Amino acid sequence: MSHSSGPGFLQRSVVSSFIFLNAERETKVALFKRSNKVSTYRHCLAPISGYIEQNETPITAAWREIREETSLNSHDVNLWRKGKPYSFSDPSVGRQWTIYPFSFRLVCCDEGGRGGKGIQIDWEHESWGWYNPESIKDDEQFGGVPRLEESLGRVWFEGNMNEGASKALIAGLEQLKADHQSGFNELTLAALRTYQDVITQMQPENSTKWWETARMVVWHLWKNGREDMGSAILNPFLELLAEIQGILHQSLDRGVEWECLQAALSHHIQRQIDMPTRIQNSFAAYVQSKFVPIVQSKPKASLNILTLSASSNIRNSVLDAFAAVPIPDLDLRILESRPLYEGVSMGSSIISAFQNKFPGTSEKHLKMTIYTDASAALASKDVDLVLLGADRISDCGAINNKTGSLPAILSAKHISPNSKLLILTALEKIAGYGVDDDHNQELNDPKRVMDGWLDAGVKGVNIINDSVWNAYTGDNCVIKVNNIFSEWVPAGLVDAYICAEGTLDVSGIEEKAEQVKQNIERNLQYMPFLPGLLDISNV
């Protein structure tokens, strides 16, 4: 995509994808020497780069360029990190560039990929090689394309941080990325604690550089941890960053400044720790006011609830509300939630918590049934409540949650028309400016699904497995296995949002979304990196 801008300049948006090899002792990055057949920067070293085509997202363009220019596919490289985009002008070629940096990890032969042997360059390059990332410089002697070092630094933060801070951030990102069972509160706490660990390792010496790095850490926690929890993680950090900026502007004594920074971090972490209790109290109040009369009018006073996946917030809210109301029986139905079976883990934790909370002599009784995901309609019979969490909430009230949420809700609404869908959530999950309202699906490694089939010895699974691996061989039959972790539920299906502030309807969510937008706008003057963040929903 291009159009004229400025004095004869063309605006061009391009992707720059760095391919990393993580050897046992040394990290290397591949650079490609551009041929004399390309239109710009001939014979310069560069990552895999190319224009973003019309109606194409940056990440889609990155994958396309890698396939075209190296022959590597999704079996050979894994997406590692997304870098913050930036723009600059180059009068020598008459271009205004907007760069979208990405990094990919090469899959070695012993991991199922083709390793470096799979790299087959096309006409755009004349050669390629492995380089130490620390050797890459933005100078004429190195021979790279303009801003090569800067693009690299946006996906390889290790070169811009001390070793302690870098290790803390790497560990935190790996924890977030691997955790597909914890809910919002646990993940946000993990992100905040990672941030505290990183900040503790980088006491400010140069305030300007320190502040730049502190903001970039937030970018990586937002985009390179669990991006499907993006707004939930970003919103608490917006308030924290504004508070940190205020501390830095006071020109305090270095020791006092450091104590204030640590106190701010601790305060935000404690507030996150307290949030589940406030949500649980709101849910108990809702059940007491809305459902006790309904349940007590039944022939058998039982509160029937359907849920799925794993959420300590839902677990504790259900048991606390059950303890607080004069209802003797709790009929809890849980969908197993494949492929990780979080529902089974949820059931186990509920049993333990129930036995601790209600001794055998108690007048409270639990009946818990775990259903297969395909049995959502059967599990919905006579339910009073469908309880879900939310990974994200759009500014119009739609929710993003574990795959299987929408079938469960539709089943309940059809089988038990009087049932209510309640979303137990924190308002921090509400997106501003449509950041998370693109409703894109998060595709994940199909191996997690297929491993279950292989372990169970499903008939014919090897044919499927072989076909998936040959998806890019040019055969006329392409087989895919989609492992989609989350899906969107329309706001029109939601009856109430239960949050720390009380009970809200869709209009309350829309009002809060507007407040989020205003909060971002207020903070723009203090955080100039935010406009870039808000303009890349599809990165």
Side-chain angles (χ1 to χ4, degrees):
M1 54 185 179
S2 67
H3 61 272
S4 297
S5 175
F9 281 16
L10 289 176
Q11 285 194 347
R12 296 284 192 177
S13 293
V14 298
V15 292
S16 290
S17 298
F18 294 88
I19 299 174
F20 282 81
L21 174 65
N22 295 105
E24 291 184 6
R25 296 184 179 181
E26 184 180 10
T27 296
K28 298 179 180 179
V29 61
L31 293 180
F32 299 79
K33 193 167 187 179
R34 295 168 64 82
S35 72
N36 61 1
K37 299 178 182 179
V38 296
S39 59
T40 59
Y41 309 127
R42 294 171 180 171
H43 310 298
C44 291
L45 294 170
I48 296 300
S49 304
Y51 297 133
I52 301 173
E53 298 178 354
Q54 189 173 8
N55 299 322
E56 187 177 41
T57 64
I59 185 58
T60 301
W63 279 109
R64 175 180 53 77
E65 291 290 345
I66 285 176
R67 287 194 298 271
E68 292 175 357
E69 298 184 15
T70 69
S71 84
L72 299 175
N73 57 46
S74 59
H75 299 299
D76 301 311
V77 290
N78 296 323
L79 176 62
W80 187 23
R81 295 172 184 165
K82 302 176 181 182
K84 179 180 172 294
Y86 70 102
S87 300
F88 71 94
S89 298
D90 186 352
S92 70
V93 294
R95 299 290 193 274
Q96 167 77 24
W97 299 111
T98 297
I99 311 296
Y100 290 80
F102 295 93
S103 65
F104 293 79
R105 274 178 167 161
L106 189 70
V107 179
C108 297
C109 296
D110 58 359
E111 298 173 314
R114 290 181 289 168
K117 296 179 180 179
I119 298 178
Q120 304 294 325
I121 58 177
D122 68 352
W123 61 270
E124 295 187 47
H125 303 104
E126 58 189 38
S127 63
W128 72 278
W130 294 111
Y131 291 79
N132 182 335
E134 295 180 356
S135 70
I136 296 174
K137 304 297 180 184
D138 279 334
D139 57 37
E140 189 173 334
Q141 182 177 0
F142 184 79
V145 295
R147 306 292 185 94
L148 175 62
E149 183 181 5
E150 180 171 354
S151 296
L152 173 65
R154 289 170 180 258
V155 293
W156 192 69
F157 53 75
E158 290 87 336
N160 297 321
M161 304 170 67
N162 65 53
E163 184 177 2
S166 174
K167 286 183 176 180
L169 182 53
I170 291 171
L173 290 175
E174 289 177 350
Q175 177 188 355
L176 289 171
K177 190 172 292 188
D179 190 345
H180 289 281
Q181 298 193 23
S182 296
F184 150 76
N185 197 62
E186 293 93 337
L187 290 172
T188 304
L189 267 175
L192 285 168
R193 284 170 172 154
T194 294
Y195 193 68
Q196 184 179 47
D197 291 341
V198 174
I199 294 300
T200 300
Q201 294 289 334
M202 44 179 275
Q203 291 196 25
E205 295 180 359
N206 180 319
S207 295
T208 301
K209 177 64 175 176
W210 185 93
W211 176 231
E212 178 183 337
T213 305
R215 289 177 294 160
M216 192 56 69
V217 172
V218 172
W219 166 273
H220 285 289
L221 289 170
W222 175 38
K223 281 292 180 182
N224 296 317
R226 278 283 304 279
E227 191 180 358
D228 59 326
M229 300 286 283
S231 61
I233 289 176
L234 177 61
N235 286 338
F237 275 110
L238 291 179
E239 295 184 20
L240 175 58
L241 286 174
E243 190 170 339
I244 290 175
Q245 178 70 357
I247 293 170
L248 296 177
H249 276 174
Q250 295 178 39
S251 301
L252 301 171
D253 173 79
R254 185 59 55 83
V256 174
E257 180 182 80
W258 185 245
E259 289 178 1
C260 290
L261 290 172
Q262 290 293 336
L265 287 164
S266 297
H267 167 73
H268 282 265
I269 289 173
Q270 187 60 49
R271 189 173 68 172
Q272 200 66 42
I273 291 172
D274 294 339
M275 186 176 296
T277 299
R278 297 167 61 196
I279 294 175
Q280 292 157 27
N281 292 339
S282 296
F283 177 67
Y286 182 91
V287 172
Q288 180 72 49
S289 64
K290 301 289 186 181
F291 275 91
V292 167
I294 296 174
V295 171
Q296 289 180 333
S297 67
K298 295 180 181 179
K300 182 180 180 181
S302 174
L303 180 61
N304 304 333
I305 295 176
L306 172 65
T307 189
L308 55 83
S309 193
S311 167
S312 60
N313 198 23
I314 289 180
R315 177 196 67 201
N316 294 332
S317 294
V318 167
L319 295 181
D320 286 353
F322 183 48
V325 297
I327 299 174
D329 296 315
L330 173 62
D331 185 345
L332 186 60
R333 299 98 181 266
I334 306 175
L335 301 182
E336 61 180 347
S337 308
R338 297 185 182 186
L340 300 181
Y341 301 100
E342 300 99 323
V344 179
S345 301
M346 174 84 153
S348 173
S349 67
I350 285 177
I351 292 171
S352 299
F354 182 86
Q355 291 173 339
N356 289 332
K357 198 173 191 70
F358 306 104
T361 57
S362 170
E363 295 182 356
K364 297 284 188 176
H365 307 99
L366 169 67
K367 175 186 176 184
M368 186 177 71
T369 308
I370 298 177
Y371 287 82
T372 62
D373 294 339
S375 303
L378 298 175
S380 299
K381 181 176 173 58
D382 298 327
V383 295
D384 301 303
L385 298 174
V386 179
L387 291 187
L388 296 179
D391 293 337
R392 291 180 283 174
I393 306 174
S394 75
D395 54 8
C396 65
I399 69 149
N400 184 266
N401 196 51
K402 168 76 180 183
T403 299
S405 298
L406 184 56
I409 296 162
L410 294 174
S411 295
K413 293 288 185 180
H414 178 72
I415 302 296
S416 301
N418 293 325
S419 64
K420 301 296 182 183
L421 170 59
L422 305 184
I423 308 301
L424 273 62
T425 185
L427 294 184
E428 283 82 355
K429 298 182 182 182
I430 298 175
Y433 289 99
V435 170
D436 294 303
D437 200 16
D438 51 84
H439 290 207
N440 287 342
Q441 294 176 333
E442 181 193 14
L443 295 176
N444 295 276
D445 189 354
K447 187 175 184 295
R448 290 182 173 177
V449 175
M450 297 168 66
D451 281 350
W453 302 343
L454 291 166
D455 292 343
V458 174
K459 184 177 180 180
V461 67
N462 289 327
I463 295 176
I464 299 294
N465 188 58
D466 293 343
S467 298
V468 168
W469 276 91
N470 292 327
Y472 296 105
T473 60
D475 296 339
N476 65 350
C477 180
V478 176
I479 308 298
K480 294 183 178 180
V481 174
N482 281 351
N483 180 17
I484 302 172
F485 282 171
S486 61
E487 62 186 353
W488 285 92
V489 175
L493 296 174
V494 179
D495 292 288
Y497 303 84
I498 310 296
C499 54
E501 291 75 7
T503 301
L504 299 179
D505 57 13
V506 172
S507 63
I509 294 297
E510 292 173 342
E511 182 180 340
K512 177 61 179 178
E514 182 62 31
Q515 293 174 8
V516 170
K517 295 174 186 178
Q518 293 174 3
N519 180 42
I520 291 172
E521 289 173 349
R522 282 196 302 269
N523 289 327
L524 286 181
Q525 59 179 315
Y526 301 113
M527 291 173 282
F529 76 117
L530 275 175
L533 299 190
L534 301 176
D535 192 32
I536 51 168
S537 59
N538 291 324
V539 172

